[in-house]
């Protein structure tokens, strides 16, 4: 196993996504000698077939099969435990690591500055940072907390990882962020933020379903509870600021994501009424009234709009990637 970096991927019954993820990455992982460690939750046979298919062409692929189904956080721990490299990059099967991003991460690791954490950008969304090396917990919380909540942006110094600390946040929906904030609250640390190196969404042939059925629960119940549960070393003022940050500036809630919420039937007048106070307090009046407006639009029309938008985005993405390859060859 490569001693510098392993990418670890917890997966659960999404063989099509896993197959496309490996197809997308295996050549650059081989080029840069990066391991891929996969934890197959519930020993899904279709997933196992995909893994066996790639064994010959991708010798840096390692995997374990969990005989019984565990929750997603336990599967994350299983994946991380597979890494024997100096650094461990946690990722999901719906994200892509561009080659330039991978090279940037490896360059940082090879410099030997001994960072405890390395955080990448996400689709070039986050430019709120006041520095690129952090050593103060409250500044990480207010500036890096939101991006660190994304599973794909977190790279750990493997020898520092503490599973028991991670387990304290199992079932919160924000275990990755909770682990980071607890760890840096207990230890001196150096965290490196790579503002110009992003992971991106993987344009899979099969559309990602997402979690529209849990949108209000995660954003307006679990997120608020999670932030309140963080150690007292994080101030009440900072906690209130970060609560708003996820909802208003993280890029998770956009006009398109709310349109998709309506298209799937989970944006209803009842749901808005139940969470009215939280939407207005941590979001804004625009979000509230946009949601109310969409409840008057038929779900069938919203669904058609989403399909048109996604088709256009995917075709544009393929065209841009093709043009970039031609330019690089030139």
């Amino acid at each position: 196993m490569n001693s510098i970096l392993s990418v670890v991927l917890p997966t659960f019954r999404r063989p099509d996504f896993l197959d496309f993820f490996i197809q997308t990455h295996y050549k650059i992982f081989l080029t840069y000698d990066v391991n891929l460690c996969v934890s197959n939750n519930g020993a899904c046979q279709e997933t196992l077939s995909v893994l066996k298919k790639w064994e010959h062409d991708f010798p840096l692929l390692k995997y374990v099969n969990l005989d019984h189904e565990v929750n997603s956080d336990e599967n994350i721990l299983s994946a991380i435990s597979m890494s024997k490299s100096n650094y461990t990059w946690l990722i999901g099967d719906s994200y892509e690591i561009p080659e330039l991003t991978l090279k940037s991460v490896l360059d940082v690791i090879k410099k030997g500055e001994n960072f405890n954490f390395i955080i990448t950008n996400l689709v070039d969304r986050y430019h709120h940072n006041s520095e690129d090396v952090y050593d103060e917990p409250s500044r990480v919380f207010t500036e890096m907390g939101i991006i660190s909540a994304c599973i794909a942006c977190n790279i750990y110094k493997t020898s520092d990882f503490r599973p028991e600390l991670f387990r304290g946040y199992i079932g919160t929906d924000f275990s990755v962020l909770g682990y980071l904030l607890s760890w840096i609250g207990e230890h001196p640390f150096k965290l490196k933020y790579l503002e110009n190196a992003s992971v991106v969404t993987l344009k899979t042939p099969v559309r990602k379903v997402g979690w529209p059925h849990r949108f209000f629960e995660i954003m307006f119940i679990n997120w608020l509870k999670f932030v309140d549960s963080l150690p007292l070393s994080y101030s009440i003022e900072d906690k209130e600021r970060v609560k708003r940050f996820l909802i208003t500036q993280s890029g998770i809630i956009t006009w398109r994501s709310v349109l998709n919420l309506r298209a799937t039937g989970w944006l209803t007048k009842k749901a808005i009424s139940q969470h009215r106070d939280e939407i207005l307090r941590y979001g804004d009046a625009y979000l509230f009234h946009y949601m109310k407006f969409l409840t008057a639009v038929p779900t069938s029309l919203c669904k058609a709009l989403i399909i048109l938008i996604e088709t256009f985005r995917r075709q544009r993405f393929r065209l841009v990637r093709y043009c970039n390859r031609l330019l690089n060859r030139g």
Side-chain angles (χ1 to χ4, degrees):
M1 180 174 281
N2 170 25
S3 63
I4 297 176
L5 177 67
S6 289
V7 173
V8 300
L9 193 162
T11 188
F12 179 59
R13 296 181 181 175
R14 300 213 302 189
D16 293 339
F17 280 77
L18 178 63
D19 189 42
F20 193 70
F21 179 92
I22 297 175
Q23 178 185 329
T24 302
H25 291 92
Y26 83 100
K27 289 183 180 178
I28 64 167
F29 283 9
L30 287 172
T31 299
Y32 292 94
D33 195 27
V34 173
N35 314 295
L36 175 63
C37 304
V38 178
S39 178
N40 178 18
N41 192 0
C44 172
Q45 289 303 309
E46 291 83 0
T47 301
L48 183 59
S49 297
V50 169
L51 292 166
K52 287 184 176 295
K53 181 185 81 171
W54 284 103
E55 280 182 312
H56 180 266
D57 291 332
F58 188 21
L60 295 176
L61 171 66
K62 312 296 178 187
Y63 59 88
V64 295
N65 294 299
L66 304 183
D67 293 335
H68 61 283
E69 183 181 324
V70 299
N71 65 42
S72 58
D73 291 327
E74 290 287 356
N75 200 28
I76 287 173
L77 284 175
S78 170
I80 291 174
S81 71
M82 297 176 66
S83 173
K84 308 303 178 188
S85 303
N86 293 342
Y87 282 85
T88 299
W89 191 336
L90 178 62
I91 200 166
D93 58 14
S94 58
Y95 294 96
E96 178 181 353
I97 303 173
E99 184 173 0
L100 287 177
T101 297
L102 179 61
K103 187 175 183 302
S104 296
V105 169
L106 289 170
D107 286 346
V108 168
I109 294 173
K110 289 175 181 178
K111 288 179 181 178
E113 295 186 55
N114 202 31
F115 294 110
N116 305 100
F117 298 90
I118 302 170
I119 305 295
T120 70
N121 206 334
L122 175 63
V123 203
D124 199 36
R125 284 180 185 166
Y126 296 91
H127 302 279
H128 309 285
N129 55 305
S130 58
E131 48 197 297
D132 62 353
V133 177
Y134 290 81
D135 60 7
E136 206 281 309
S138 64
R139 196 174 292 274
V140 172
F141 180 43
T142 55
E143 295 185 9
M144 292 288 97
I146 301 306
I147 189 169
S148 301
C150 174
I151 186 175
C153 298
N154 292 267
I155 303 164
Y156 307 107
K157 184 180 177 185
T158 308
S159 61
D160 287 340
F161 191 80
R162 294 173 53 194
E164 74 281 0
L165 196 61
F166 187 94
R167 287 194 175 93
Y169 291 94
I170 284 179
T172 63
D173 287 317
F174 298 96
S175 54
V176 173
L177 175 57
Y179 171 78
L180 169 66
L181 294 174
S182 289
W183 198 100
I184 65 176
E186 296 180 7
H187 305 83
F189 70 95
K190 286 201 304 181
L191 181 150
K192 175 72 172 178
Y193 177 50
L194 298 178
E195 180 181 0
N196 297 315
S198 286
V199 293
V200 299
T201 52
L202 186 60
K203 300 300 185 291
T204 53
V206 180
R207 187 173 182 272
K208 182 181 177 181
V209 175
W211 36 269
H213 60 296
R214 298 192 62 220
F215 174 84
F216 286 99
E217 176 192 2
I218 291 173
M219 298 302 294
F220 296 106
I221 298 177
N222 292 358
W223 169 244
L224 305 181
K225 287 181 179 178
F226 164 77
V227 175
D228 286 335
S229 74
L230 291 170
L232 296 175
S233 56
Y234 298 105
S235 71
I236 294 174
E237 293 77 14
D238 283 346
K239 288 180 179 181
E240 288 297 298
R241 191 184 317 161
V242 171
K243 286 176 185 178
R244 294 187 190 94
F245 194 11
L246 180 74
I247 294 167
T248 61
Q249 299 183 51
S250 68
I252 294 175
I253 301 180
T254 64
W255 67 269
R256 190 163 51 88
S257 67
V258 177
L259 178 64
N260 183 63
L261 194 64
R262 178 59 180 162
T264 55
W266 293 98
L267 178 61
T268 63
K269 292 179 180 178
K270 181 180 178 181
I272 295 172
S273 176
Q274 287 176 336
H275 301 282
R276 179 182 184 278
D277 292 345
E278 291 81 7
I279 295 170
L280 288 171
R281 180 176 179 182
Y282 297 108
D284 52 35
Y286 167 78
L287 175 62
F288 179 74
H289 290 298
Y290 176 53
M291 285 181 166
K292 285 189 69 176
F293 165 75
L294 284 182
T295 60
V297 180
T299 56
S300 58
L301 177 57
C302 293
K303 190 177 296 184
L305 287 171
I306 285 292
I307 292 171
L308 285 172
I309 292 166
E310 188 166 292
T311 301
F312 170 77
R313 284 166 54 85
R314 285 174 179 266
Q315 293 302 323
R316 177 181 175 277
F317 176 82
R318 292 190 181 102
L319 178 61
V320 169
R321 174 169 282 191
Y322 176 74
C323 291
N324 286 339
R325 286 174 179 167
L326 290 179
L327 289 172
N328 290 335
R329 287 174 187 171

